[in-house]
């Protein structure tokens, strides 16, 4: 598969030798002046090296409830990575792990679940999996 697609799957192969369920923590920020939304993802697992974790994300506008960034797969390959979304016109709520893109646990970095964001996603998210999980 790797040869046919020109992709290095060695890091992805760590999934087969790592026991347990990895945890992905997240934090986010929005800079209204630049219109940039930043999403920081960190991973923890029983592996000595970071896993390759595909994290599907979409962004939902807090005011209108419209999807402003459709589902995009972020490739978490390091212990911590920050992904930036530009040209965002207002604050958004991230819809993380859309379609159950990876068998991981997702928790906020603060450890405190934002109940209002979950309620918002339950009402407005366009992804059925995350709508149900909220």
């Amino acid at each position: 598969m790797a040869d046919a697609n020109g992709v290095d799957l060695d890091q992805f192969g760590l999934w087969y030798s790592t026991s347990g369920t990895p945890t992905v923590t997240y934090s986010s920020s929005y800079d209204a002046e630049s219109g940039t939304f930043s999403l920081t993802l960190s991973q923890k697992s029983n592996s000595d090296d970071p896993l390759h974790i595909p994290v599907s994300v979409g962004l939902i506008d807090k005011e209108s409830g419209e999807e402003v960034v459709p589902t995009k797969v972020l490739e978490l390959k390091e212990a911590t990575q920050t992904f930036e979304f530009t040209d965002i016109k207002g604050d958004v709520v991230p819809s993380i792990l859309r379609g159950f893109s990876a068998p991981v646990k997702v928790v906020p970095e603060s450890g405190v679940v934002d109940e209002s964001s979950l309620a918002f996603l339950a009402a407005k998210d366009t992804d059925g999996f995350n709508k149900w999980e909220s």
Side-chain angles (χ1 to χ4, degrees):
M1 183 188 280
D3 293 339
N5 293 296
V7 177
D8 180 3
L9 296 176
D10 288 344
Q11 187 179 18
F12 195 79
L14 291 173
W15 281 91
Y16 296 103
S17 60
T18 303
S19 64
T21 302
T23 298
V24 173
T25 58
Y26 66 92
S27 64
S28 63
S29 63
Y30 175 65
D31 181 347
E33 189 173 307
S34 68
T36 301
F37 177 80
S38 299
L39 179 64
T40 299
L41 302 174
S42 300
Q43 62 170 293
K44 287 187 181 181
S45 72
N46 291 328
S47 174
D48 292 334
D49 297 313
L51 301 175
H52 179 171
I53 303 175
V55 181
S56 292
V57 174
L59 301 179
I60 313 294
D61 185 271
K62 276 188 179 179
E63 276 190 39
S64 69
E66 298 293 318
E67 182 177 65
V68 294
V69 173
T71 302
K72 177 178 181 169
V73 178
L74 308 177
E75 296 189 29
L76 179 60
K77 293 181 172 184
E78 299 171 20
T80 299
Q81 284 176 255
T82 298
F83 301 91
E84 291 188 344
F85 300 85
T86 56
D87 297 323
I88 304 298
K89 305 296 183 222
D91 202 1
V92 294
V93 175
S95 172
I96 302 171
L97 205 65
R98 291 183 139 198
F100 194 59
S101 58
V104 299
K105 298 174 189 171
V106 178
V107 297
E109 183 181 64
S110 67
V112 178
V113 176
D114 181 356
E115 296 293 334
S116 64
S117 289
L118 290 180
F120 177 84
L121 290 172
K124 304 288 185 179
D125 202 338
T126 57
D127 180 75
F129 177 79
N130 277 1
K131 192 172 216 171
W132 177 262
E133 285 294 302
S134 296

